[in-house]
Amino acid sequence: MLKAKILTLCASTLFISASAQTPKLGVDPIEKVINAMTLDEKLNVLIGSAGNVKSDATATIGSSAELVPGAAGQLNAIPRLGIPATVVADGPAGLRIKPIREGTSKTFYCTHFPIETVMSSTWNVDLVGQIGAAMGDEVKHYGVDVLLAPATNIHRNPLNGRNFEYYSEDPLLSGKICAAMVNGVQSNGVGTSLKHFALNNQETNRTSNNVIGTPRTFREIYLKPFEIVVKEAQPWTVMTSYNKVNGTMTSERSDLITEILRHEWGFKGMVMTDWFGGQHATLQMEAGNDLLMPGKLSQREELKKAVLNGHLSMEIIDRNVKHILEYILKTPRFKGYVADNNPDLKAHAVVTRNAALEGMVLLKNIKNTLPIKSNVKNVAVFGRTSYDFIAGGTGSGDVNHAYVVSLIDGLKNAGFNIDNSLKSSYEAYIPEATAKMPKSTSQFAAFLPKHLIPEMDLSNVNMQKVAKNNDVAIHSMASWSGRWQLGK
């Protein structure tokens, strides 16, 4: 009996001793936690949760998180050191997660907020801050730690497919509006990811595009919005872009990431790649690109080999790990927050409508056509997208919303009578014309802008009758933009 007690006591002592020797994030200094890590554990921190998957991809739309289905990615947990997994999710016009999940009838829809270009058109930083606060509220309620937005690249060419994710062609306006958005989102205790750093101004050949220019051009136009946001809002993270700058991948440029971003502007957060961005993991580590997302097996193998061969110093590895752990300390998941999946979508819809109204731009008002006179009741509505409404762009900037108020719905809600004969013609034409359009064979077809059908031939419409029966006519025109494509 005495021998059994002695053995039990010895085992307990050994357990207590081992526990005391294992540091925990948030309890012990970060440096102590880093020193306790094995090389493999450090690589787990530096490479996203998909880092054990073989892939030759150079770009993708993220959807690899397990904790929040449909979220873009996840960082690995190291439980023995008190390091939790954290979740990052798109995007610029609202949170993008799966709206329906197996095993529950509950829905997880998010608000589709006005696109960033509309936000700039308000010139109202207070209003944009309110949108950011509403967006961040949904991020937190749905259990996401970082929103992979906002993006503040310059509108260099109006045909860029992702211009809807960016604010403006003006650096000052872009920076000020974006800073308001970051402050609004982060007021909820969740993070943002300022992107795409930098000079990501086209979708054509975006992973191999080489932007050539002078330092003055870069600093005064293309880097200026990022500088403003970093200095005025301190986003938790910054995401590097796919493209090259003067021959070198942005995620591999220490002058861009370490010298300018950190040393000149005072950025204090974590830097991550865009999904599968960059070419050489070792060069990315050296440049100060802390986190490789969503993670590839080849990156893990390259970094481990570089460290063991002495080509990559442990000092660099530890520096980048520290930046990531500092980020994790701020996250809701580290602080024990439990998502209730119940944001106030009705309240956010009101904020969204107000912002959309203020962001509208009236280019010309011939003969004071607007506002519509109070005696106008009957409206003839023309245009394919009046009936087949486009709510926003595609790709990572899309949002799984519960409903859309179309132009027709909006007019009806405002008390107008829609010409039903014309409406019926469009409603018969649209599905027929859609069925004739070629089907995309791309694996990313669900994320790409669909080819818009031709406008309906009006030769069979009795225009004299339409004119007689209505007080006013409205014709809408719209474009659809998204990843990998020119705007259409």
Side-chain angles (χ1 to χ4, degrees):
M1 185 68 177
L2 180 60
K3 184 177 180 181
K5 288 183 178 180
I6 292 173
L7 289 173
T8 301
L9 180 62
C10 288
S12 300
T13 303
L14 288 171
F15 176 77
I16 294 171
S17 177
S19 299
Q21 290 175 1
T22 303
K24 299 288 184 181
L25 185 65
V27 176
D28 298 284
I30 286 181
E31 290 76 11
K32 192 172 183 179
V33 175
I34 294 173
N35 289 337
M37 287 181 176
T38 65
L39 175 57
D40 284 330
E41 287 174 331
K42 291 177 181 180
L43 295 179
N44 275 345
V45 172
L46 297 171
I47 300 172
S49 62
N52 291 314
V53 177
K54 290 184 178 180
S55 175
D56 295 322
T58 58
T60 191
I61 296 171
S63 184
S64 61
E66 296 178 355
L67 293 173
V68 179
Q74 192 168 301
L75 279 69
N76 292 304
I78 305 178
R80 80 175 188 92
L81 298 173
I83 301 172
T86 60
V87 178
V88 298
D90 298 316
L95 185 64
R96 185 178 66 84
I97 58 175
K98 285 185 177 179
I100 300 173
R101 301 176 187 174
E102 294 182 4
T104 179
S105 60
K106 180 178 175 59
T107 58
F108 303 83
Y109 288 108
C110 300
T111 303
H112 204 151
F113 294 94
I115 63 171
E116 294 187 349
T117 310
V118 173
M119 293 295 91
S120 282
S121 299
T122 69
W123 293 74
N124 187 336
V125 293
D126 293 332
L127 179 61
V128 173
Q130 293 174 25
I131 287 290
M135 200 178 294
D137 180 71
E138 294 187 17
V139 171
K140 188 168 185 178
H141 275 285
Y142 280 131
V144 173
D145 297 287
V146 169
L147 182 70
L148 298 174
T152 190
N153 295 103
I154 291 293
H155 288 182
R156 188 181 68 198
N157 185 319
L159 295 180
N160 180 9
R162 293 183 82 175
N163 273 352
F164 75 96
E165 295 187 35
Y166 305 149
Y167 289 101
S168 171
E169 76 282 5
D170 180 83
L172 180 60
L173 178 62
S174 295
K176 291 291 185 179
I177 296 294
C178 187
M181 179 63 75
V182 169
N183 282 324
V185 173
Q186 294 189 170
S187 67
N188 294 275
V190 295
T192 57
S193 191
L194 182 64
K195 62 183 188 181
H196 305 91
F197 190 60
L199 292 110
N200 186 70
N201 307 99
Q202 69 179 55
E203 282 297 280
T204 305
N205 301 322
R206 63 178 180 156
T207 60
S208 58
N209 178 43
N210 184 22
V211 183
I212 299 172
T214 63
R216 180 178 178 181
T217 302
F218 292 160
R219 285 178 177 271
E220 291 185 1
I221 300 176
Y222 300 98
L223 298 183
K224 181 57 70 175
F226 291 94
E227 179 183 3
I228 293 171
V229 178
V230 168
K231 290 181 176 179
E232 296 187 5
Q234 276 295 334
W236 286 14
T237 77
V238 166
M239 181 189 294
T240 51
S241 55
Y242 285 123
N243 54 283
K244 297 176 183 177
V245 173
N246 289 334
T248 304
M249 290 286 179
T250 59
S251 60
E252 299 171 8
R253 294 196 69 108
S254 60
D255 56 348
L256 189 64
I257 300 171
T258 298
E259 296 304 321
I260 295 176
L261 179 63
R262 291 195 184 278
H263 295 169
E264 288 190 29
W265 299 347
F267 177 64
K268 297 179 175 61
M270 173 185 75
V271 177
M272 71 173 81
T273 63
D274 204 337
W275 268 226
F276 296 125
Q279 294 177 335
H280 306 100
T282 302
L283 296 180
Q284 290 172 315
M285 287 293 110
E286 291 176 338
N289 198 117
D290 307 306
L291 176 64
L292 307 181
M293 291 297 286
K296 291 195 281 189
L297 181 60
S298 60
Q299 292 171 325
R300 170 182 292 277
E301 293 170 345
E302 178 188 335
L303 292 180
K304 189 168 186 177
K305 183 178 179 180
V307 171
L308 295 177
N309 289 345
H311 296 150
L312 178 62
S313 74
M314 191 60 72
E315 182 180 350
I316 294 293
I317 293 289
D318 290 351
R319 177 198 65 180
N320 296 353
V321 168
K322 181 181 179 183
H323 293 155
I324 297 172
L325 295 183
E326 288 172 339
Y327 142 74
I328 291 174
L329 283 169
K330 296 188 288 188
T331 61
R333 190 159 269 100
F334 178 81
K335 295 178 179 179
Y337 174 78
V338 179
D340 60 13
N341 295 311
N342 193 33
D344 192 346
L345 298 181
K346 289 185 177 179
H348 297 168
V350 174
V351 176
T352 297
R353 188 178 190 277
N354 292 338
L357 283 172
E358 192 162 335
M360 291 182 181
V361 177
L362 181 60
L363 297 178
K364 187 178 289 186
N365 195 17
I366 300 174
K367 296 182 180 181
N368 294 318
T369 302
L370 296 175
I372 295 175
K373 305 298 185 290
S374 59
N375 62 337
V376 171
K377 294 298 181 183
N378 301 317
V379 181
V381 182
F382 294 88
R384 61 194 176 190
T385 50
S386 298
Y387 300 89
D388 188 14
F389 198 71
I390 298 174
T394 63
S396 58
D398 196 9
V399 178
N400 292 311
H401 44 255
Y403 65 93
V404 171
V405 178
S406 70
L407 176 60
I408 299 299
D409 295 332
L411 290 170
K412 287 181 178 179
N413 293 341
F416 293 103
N417 301 316
I418 307 300
D419 187 304
N420 282 322
S421 176
L422 187 59
K423 178 172 177 284
S424 296
S425 296
Y426 272 101
E427 289 178 341
Y429 164 74
I430 289 172
E432 180 181 328
T434 301
K436 295 178 181 178
M437 296 297 290
K439 300 295 187 293
S440 174
T441 57
S442 171
Q443 61 178 318
F444 300 113
F447 299 100
L448 295 174
K450 297 177 178 63
H451 292 287
L452 296 179
I453 61 175
E455 286 289 359
M456 185 176 75
D457 183 359
L458 298 176
S459 61
N460 294 324
V461 176
N462 188 335
M463 298 301 287
Q464 289 183 333
K465 183 179 178 181
V466 170
K468 181 180 178 180
N469 292 341
N470 295 282
D471 303 312
V472 68
I474 295 175
H475 191 296
S476 72
M477 293 179 287
S479 64
W480 205 350
S481 297
R483 281 186 174 223
W484 295 299
Q485 292 197 355
L486 297 174
K488 293 186 180 294

